[in-house]
Amino acid sequence: MALKIYGVARSRAFRTLWMAKELGLDYEHVKVDFATGATRTPAHLALNPNGQVPVIDDNGFVLWESMAINLYLAKKYGVGTLYPTRLEDEARAWQWSFWGMTEVERPVLTALFNRTILPEDKRDAAAADDAEKQLAQPLRVLDGALGGGANLLGDNFTVADLNVASILAWARPAQIDMSPFPKVAEWLKNCAERPAARAARQLQRE
Ligand SMILES: N[C@@H](CCC(=O)N[C@@H](CS)C(=O)NCC(=O)O)C(=O)O
């Protein structure tokens, strides 16, 4: 098969699996599990020297970093649908993807780990609360941006929405209160209810 996606669905590989489902791609899922040390084997390090997933191998072209992978796949297979055609919209897709990684991912993960993932005696409630406070500013920005249309680049769902929503998918298990950000809450729900998102979530249960 031409495209291989490395990484179990309960890792950041979820983002890429969701993208592949949106694009209707045929792919081989190589279920490398970060929890077993499988990301640190010589074979995996040869693909991604960071020892992480996701990674893709698209017919011999190897790429890591979830946002870069999704932008690449969307541009290769989804111009005019998931990937914008206007240069300015393309730049906004990058803007939102970088923003998600730099402004949102760390605090949402801090809340997630300290509220649900770590063993109870290792959780730091204050760190989680602090992370939720830090998230308020970017969530206000996102709420404001969603005032102009149903999605980040306008009416249509694009890679910008998928990339940011796949990071914010952790907000619910992290028990982030979304009530001050009603547009974000509605947009996130719509993104999560897409058939491709549901199909990717199903992979987390297998
Ligand atoms: N910035 C990277 C982060 C990738 C990452 O941290 N992946 C985790 C799983 S969600 C991983 O593979 N961890 C294994 C390890 O660090 O050993 C991306 O977005 O692709």
Side-chain angles (χ1 to χ4, degrees), residues 16 48 50 52-55 63-70 101:
T16 299
N48 182 357
N50 299 291
Q52 295 172 337
V53 287
V55 183
L63 190 67
W64 37 263
E65 274 300 323
S66 55
M67 299 287 116
I69 292 171
N70 278 3
M101 293 298 271

Side-chain angles (χ1 to χ4, degrees), residues 105-169:
E105 191 180 67
R106 181 169 293 275
V108 82
L109 266 182
T110 300
L112 180 71
F113 270 81
N114 286 292
R115 287 181 178 161
T116 60
I117 293 193
L118 289 171
E120 277 188 36
D121 61 332
K122 299 257 168 13
R123 293 182 195 168
D124 181 340
D129 293 348
D130 191 48
E132 181 160 5
K133 279 194 199 106
Q134 281 174 43
L135 268 175
Q137 165 65 9
L139 288 176
R140 259 196 303 276
V141 169
L142 185 56
D143 212 60
L146 287 165
N151 288 295
L152 284 171
L153 303 187
D155 290 337
N156 298 328
F157 177 87
T158 67
V159 60
D161 301 289
L162 193 159
N163 278 352
V164 176
S166 64
I167 297 168
L168 274 172

Side-chain angles (χ1 to χ4, degrees), residues 23-83:
L23 294 167
L25 301 181
D26 208 11
Y27 64 89
E28 181 187 340
H29 187 191
V30 187
K31 295 176 184 164
V32 175
D33 191 347
F34 61 93
T36 65
T39 49
R40 302 285 163 162
T41 63
H44 190 78
L45 289 169
L47 289 171
N48 182 357
N50 299 291
Q52 295 172 337
V53 287
V55 183
I56 59 164
D57 180 339
D58 187 22
N59 219 4
F61 173 62
V62 174
L63 190 67
W64 37 263
E65 274 300 323
S66 55
M67 299 287 116
I69 292 171
N70 278 3
L71 289 162
Y72 164 81
L73 289 176
K75 187 161 185 172
K76 181 164 180 183
Y77 298 106
V79 172
T81 55
L82 276 243
Y83 203 82

Side-chain angles (χ1 to χ4, degrees), residues 80-97:
T81 55
L82 276 243
Y83 203 82
T85 46
R86 291 176 64 238
L87 175 65
E88 292 81 359
D89 287 335
E90 178 181 53
R92 286 207 183 91
W94 302 339
Q95 169 196 278
W96 283 115
S97 303

Side-chain angles (χ1 to χ4, degrees), residues 5 7-11 14 17 21 27-34 195-206:
I5 299 176
V8 288
R10 56 187 169 69
S11 72
F14 170 77
L17 293 162
K21 301 269 180 207
Y27 64 89
E28 181 187 340
H29 187 191
V30 187
K31 295 176 184 164
V32 175
D33 191 347
F34 61 93
R198 285 178 187 274
R201 275 203 303 283
Q202 181 57 36
L203 298 175
Q204 295 176 326
R205 291 179 213 111
E206 289 171 4

